[in-house]
Amino acid sequence: MEMTAIILIVCFFILLFINVPISICIALSTLIALTLHMDFTPASITISQQMMGGLDSFALLAIPFFILSGLIMGQGGIAKRLIECAMAMIGFLPGGLALVNVMSCMMFGAISGSAVAATSAIGSFMVPEMKKHGYSENFAAAVTASAATTGMLIPPSNILIIYAIASGGVSIAALFIAGYLPGILLGLALMMVCAIYSIKNNYPVTARLPFSVMFEKIIAALPSLLLVFIVIGGIIGGVFTATEAGAVAVIYALVLAVFVYKEIRLNEMPQLLLKACETTAIVMLIIAASSAMSWLLSYTHIPQMVSEFFLTLSDNPIIILLLINLILILVGAFIDMTPAVLIFTPIFLPVAMQFGMSPVQFGIMIVLNLSIGLVSPPVGSVLFVSCAVAKTAIHKIIKPMMPLYLVMFLVLMLVTYVPAISEFLPRLFGLLD
């Protein structure tokens, strides 16, 4: 069994370092490792069956819907109105534009469920605006990248749906509700760093808008923000499932973008649908390959071996949970979030539960942890998008990223060791025993 794990890890990282796509890395390394236990033909058939079985889940139908709704919102003028709303509310505070950047990413991420979409949609407006008012482009890029990760926690979030499947059936509604407090806490922590950094560097403060203008901007953004209440309220109230909520989100976003804001023409929809199909295909291939690897890990009893190994290291939950977090931070720097959740949830969830952590709390912890990987080199996809938007290089934004990394890690520690941050709201709504 140890040899299977070694072959699996070595093959995976060799393929990864020669720039083989992540889904192919996972599938090929799984196939090679499985040939230690059976001939090539039955091994390839088994892997194919497991890949197809990994996609046989009704909950996964929510993902293409939320991807499409996110694309519609990104092009439908919603980002612009959310930015104007945030500007009206907090733009006059110290470091106002940086705070607006964070708040806009939080709101857009909560609506679209995509960190990359939030980085692109919000960053393409806020980064030039921050540069125009004297902010460093490197600081602007760092703020956009880190703030965009809040959308992974604030629902609706595709990665929370994927975790629900990987964990063996944790309530999606409970996970969605559980993400609110950690996501808001992360956003507030980032805002605090932005304010201190802005004051230290003497960045300008924008003028307070008249109350009538402020009220107008907030009212203009309300139809966009209403989507969150419709989706989450419908799921909690039992009106529809998470999958049906995705379909509702598409219809609402389409009506808003085409008929209310009039930013999208109907003849542009085929292009958006094609892009949604491409993104969905990539995500589903990763899920299929990761499901096959998860099956191999279970087949070879590797999760049990890992659990026994951790128990031999210490019986102190503080040490074990810290060790799990450090491993996941390292993993997140090299592996994209979706395969990491699918592969490492079956490995670490049993260990965490043995030390008293609920599956809901662990889900929020692993998503927040791997969100740090989205903004960490060498693989961090959000970091690359933010640098492209700001027209700067990754090595130039690492310095302004350091205090943001620090507060993200501190929030991660709070989520890890204070269960109430993740569990209070699900318990309040009767979604957690």
Side-chain angles (χ1 to χ4, degrees):
M1 301 305 174
E2 292 86 352
M3 183 56 67
T4 302
I6 293 171
I7 295 295
L8 185 66
I9 294 170
V10 170
C11 290
F12 175 79
F13 279 103
I14 288 175
L15 292 168
L16 188 66
F17 284 125
I18 61 175
N19 289 324
V20 175
I22 185 70
S23 56
I24 307 301
C25 290
I26 296 168
L28 275 181
S29 57
T30 303
L31 177 60
I32 293 168
L34 188 57
T35 56
L36 295 176
H37 301 273
M38 59 184 74
D39 293 335
F40 177 80
T41 300
S44 59
I45 293 172
T46 301
I47 294 300
S48 300
Q49 290 174 334
Q50 294 302 322
M51 289 179 71
M52 291 302 297
L55 297 178
D56 187 17
S57 172
F58 181 74
L60 285 178
L61 288 174
I63 293 177
F65 286 126
F66 283 124
I67 288 174
L68 178 57
S69 67
L71 289 172
I72 294 172
M73 293 167 197
Q75 195 168 320
I78 291 173
K80 180 178 69 176
R81 286 164 176 82
L82 292 177
I83 290 170
E84 290 175 351
C85 173
M87 186 76 76
M89 294 173 66
I90 60 173
F92 58 89
L93 297 174
L97 287 179
L99 303 184
V100 168
N101 196 338
V102 175
M103 187 173 181
S104 300
C105 284
M106 289 174 66
M107 292 191 292
F108 189 83
I111 294 172
S112 68
S114 170
V116 172
T119 305
S120 178
I122 302 299
S124 59
F125 180 87
M126 286 305 305
V127 170
E129 191 70 14
M130 290 176 70
K131 288 169 65 177
K132 187 172 71 175
H133 285 80
Y135 289 78
S136 158
E137 68 268 18
N138 299 321
F139 175 65
V143 171
T144 304
S146 56
T149 62
T150 58
M152 299 293 93
L153 293 168
I154 303 175
S157 169
N158 287 335
I159 197 64
L160 289 177
I161 297 172
I162 292 170
Y163 169 78
I165 295 167
S167 62
V170 176
S171 166
I172 294 176
L175 286 168
F176 275 8
I177 293 299
Y180 273 110
L181 286 182
I184 293 171
L185 180 62
L186 177 59
L188 292 175
L190 293 173
M191 283 183 176
M192 188 181 303
V193 172
C194 290
I196 294 171
Y197 192 93
S198 299
I199 293 171
K200 180 181 177 182
N201 288 275
N202 199 29
Y203 287 141
V205 177
T206 56
R208 184 194 293 264
L209 294 174
F211 179 79
S212 59
V213 177
M214 184 186 302
F215 183 75
E216 179 185 335
K217 299 296 184 184
I218 294 172
I219 292 298
L222 280 182
S224 305
L225 295 172
L226 186 60
L227 175 64
V228 177
F229 295 97
I230 293 173
V231 170
I232 303 304
I235 294 174
I236 295 174
V239 179
F240 38 69
T241 65
T243 301
E244 293 163 344
V248 171
V250 170
I251 295 171
Y252 185 86
L254 188 61
V255 170
L256 203 60
V258 175
F259 300 106
V260 179
Y261 293 153
K262 298 180 180 179
E263 300 274 355
I264 293 179
R265 296 189 299 271
L266 287 176
N267 60 6
E268 296 175 331
M269 280 307 298
Q271 184 179 357
L272 286 174
L273 289 169
L274 180 60
K275 190 173 182 180
C277 289
E278 291 174 352
T279 305
T280 300
I282 294 169
V283 172
M284 291 302 178
L285 183 57
I286 292 174
I287 291 173
S290 301
S291 298
M293 182 178 279
S294 296
W295 172 84
L296 176 63
L297 295 174
S298 177
Y299 176 74
T300 54
H301 305 291
I302 289 175
Q304 291 87 334
M305 291 168 51
V306 172
S307 180
E308 292 170 4
F309 171 73
F310 274 101
L311 291 172
T312 60
L313 290 178
S314 174
D315 58 359
N316 188 329
I318 295 177
I319 294 174
I320 295 300
L321 293 176
L322 178 61
L323 186 58
I324 290 174
N325 272 310
L326 293 176
I327 293 172
L328 288 172
I329 286 175
L330 182 62
V331 166
F334 291 94
I335 304 177
D336 194 47
M337 180 177 273
T338 296
V341 166
L342 288 165
I343 293 167
F344 289 95
T345 294
I347 295 176
F348 290 130
L349 178 57
V351 179
M353 290 179 67
Q354 286 193 47
F355 287 94
M357 182 177 281
S358 72
V360 169
Q361 184 190 0
F362 181 80
I364 300 302
M365 185 194 84
I366 192 173
V367 168
L368 174 53
N369 189 304
L370 295 173
S371 293
I372 299 175
L374 292 176
V375 291
S376 301
V379 176
S381 55
V382 171
L383 200 63
F384 280 98
V385 173
S386 186
C387 286
V389 169
K391 296 181 175 60
T392 187
I394 285 182
H395 69 273
K396 293 182 179 179
I397 73 169
I398 294 301
K399 184 177 179 180
M401 274 295 300
M402 294 310 296
L404 299 170
Y405 281 133
L406 177 60
V407 296
M408 292 177 80
F409 183 77
L410 291 176
V411 172
L412 173 62
M413 292 298 98
L414 287 174
V415 169
T416 301
Y417 297 116
V418 184
I421 295 175
S422 304
E423 297 178 355
F424 173 73
L425 288 181
R427 291 188 191 280
L428 183 65
F429 286 97
L431 299 171
L432 196 64
D433 297 329

